[in-house]
Amino acid sequence: MSVNALLFGSFFGFLAIILGAFGAHLLKKKLSQDQLQSFETGVKYQMYHAIVLLLLGFNLNDTLSIDNYIVNAFIVGIALFSFSIYGLVLSSYKERKLKFLGPITPLGGLFLAAGWLLLLYKFILLL
């Protein structure tokens, strides 16, 4: 069992619900359609990967290096990808766009992709 995967999966899942409700109810009238869609993309990816973390948490062994790399790639990927999108959207609404966050989003995406590739590699090793 991977405790980090379970803790972060639960936390990110909780935050996805809160941020999704925040976007749907409080930001709906304040953001443009494009901004709202970007915010929702961050929430969706966060929730999808929170669920993956929970599944991995029950199935991975946190004493194996490869399993820790997989979990950490997903945790870092969620944090960089989703939270940079939230920051970009909210800062552009306040007309103080935090442009330094722009390159962080694809970096987060690379970490998410790395997590999936590491998981594939683990499965290949099991064959």
Side-chain angles (χ1 to χ4, degrees):
M1 182 164 46
S2 175
V3 175
N4 278 344
L6 293 172
L7 291 174
F8 277 95
S10 299
F11 180 68
F12 284 143
F14 165 76
L15 278 182
I17 295 298
I18 299 300
L19 292 169
F22 178 70
H25 298 290
L26 295 176
L27 297 178
K28 190 174 185 177
K29 296 177 183 172
K30 297 180 181 191
L31 298 179
S32 71
Q33 191 61 34
D34 284 344
Q35 290 171 321
L36 194 58
Q37 191 172 18
S38 292
F39 194 87
E40 289 173 356
T41 297
V43 171
K44 285 178 191 174
Y45 273 66
Q46 182 176 333
M47 182 56 87
Y48 297 153
H49 289 90
I51 294 167
V52 168
L53 280 173
L54 290 173
L55 292 171
L56 292 175
F58 288 112
N59 293 291
L60 295 183
N61 180 350
D62 62 5
T63 61
L64 298 176
S65 293
I66 185 75
D67 290 1
N68 286 317
Y69 290 139
I70 293 166
V71 168
N72 290 332
F74 282 125
I75 291 170
V76 171
I78 291 168
L80 294 179
F81 183 84
S82 292
F83 289 90
S84 65
I85 290 175
Y86 305 146
L88 283 167
V89 169
L90 295 175
S91 67
S92 68
Y93 165 70
K94 295 281 189 181
E95 297 180 13
R96 295 181 184 169
K97 191 168 187 176
L98 302 173
K99 293 182 182 183
F100 73 91
L101 292 174
I104 293 175
T105 306
L107 184 60
L110 285 174
F111 272 95
L112 292 174
W116 285 106
L117 281 175
L118 287 168
L119 190 59
L120 175 64
Y121 177 71
K122 179 181 173 72
F123 291 154
I124 289 171
L125 291 177
L126 294 173
L127 294 178

